[in-house]
Amino acid sequence: QGYVVRPIYLVSSRHYRYANTYIKQRFGDLVPSFSSKDSLVQFHKGDILLQTADVGYLSKIKNHLVHLKSVGVSLIFFVHDLLPLRLPYLYKPYFYENFYPCLVIATELGDKIICVSKSVKQDLKWWLKENPQLPHNPSLTLHHIHLGSDMGAFVPTKDMPPEAPAILQAMNLHRLLWL
């Protein structure tokens, strides 16, 4: 319905580039390329920035997000889980110390937060109620999706990375539980 979806990537605390080179390398001619260069993104009023990676880097770009919001860009963030807040002892301290302020930024500046499950959405609602000291964002709405896959459209990886055997061995030694 009139949307143009363009993958982008962050190159500094204030700049995004179009991911045209990556799209061309990964998908060849299956996806039309808008340009052969990864030119800078110029955001305009009415644009939507959908951030699908976890929120862990938002503190580094908060000023830019404030600017985007001020020019009328809608900000939508994905939240994959709140385990670093609920079970911080399972994570290295720097992970919790980074995750908390980034989640605060997402709830403060976001127009929408999309959670990867109904359970995560409910957990986020509870967390917001438990933390009334957080900045109030009346425009924030919470949503959830059901993750799934389309095996017919699956693009397999070419091989395991070189460090995979060591990681798998370490996981086996520590008998990690997969949640």
Side-chain angles (χ1 to χ4, degrees), residues 23-92:
I23 295 298
K24 188 72 169 170
Q25 289 172 348
R26 185 78 168 140
F27 301 104
D29 293 327
L30 294 175
V31 177
S33 180
F34 295 92
S35 168
S36 60
K37 292 183 177 182
D38 288 1
S39 57
L40 285 175
V41 177
Q42 300 295 319
F43 289 97
H44 304 282
K45 183 177 182 173
D47 285 350
I48 300 169
L49 175 61
L50 171 62
Q51 189 279 131
T52 59
D54 216 337
V55 295
Y57 69 92
L58 296 182
S59 60
K60 296 176 183 169
I61 63 167
K62 181 180 181 181
N63 292 337
H64 183 59
L65 294 173
V66 168
H67 168 73
L68 291 177
K69 192 102 167 130
S70 74
V71 298
V73 174
S74 293
L75 303 176
I76 303 173
F77 302 106
F78 262 66
V79 171
H80 296 267
D81 215 322
L82 271 70
L83 285 176
L85 299 178
R86 297 297 188 198
L87 304 170
Y89 56 87
L90 294 176
Y91 296 87
K92 295 191 182 220

Side-chain angles (χ1 to χ4, degrees), residues 2 8 10 31-32 34 46 50 65 72-73 82 91 106 114 117 120 122 124 138 145 150 157 161 179:
I8 61 176
L10 186 66
V31 177
F34 295 92
L50 171 62
L65 294 173
V73 174
L82 271 70
Y91 296 87
I114 301 172
S117 69
V120 172
Q122 189 61 42
L124 182 56
I145 60 169
D150 178 354
T157 57
L179 300 176

Side-chain angles (χ1 to χ4, degrees), residues 90-107:
L90 294 176
Y91 296 87
K92 295 191 182 220
Y94 71 86
F95 194 83
Y96 172 83
E97 292 162 4
N98 188 43
F99 187 82
Y100 177 84
C102 292
L103 187 59
V104 170
I105 291 167
T107 60

Side-chain angles (χ1 to χ4, degrees), residues 4-24:
V4 176
V5 178
R6 303 278 306 271
I8 61 176
Y9 61 96
L10 186 66
V11 290
S12 73
S13 63
R14 296 182 333 209
H15 296 100
Y16 288 87
R17 288 191 176 274
Y18 290 107
N20 297 327
T21 304
Y22 170 78
I23 295 298
K24 188 72 169 170

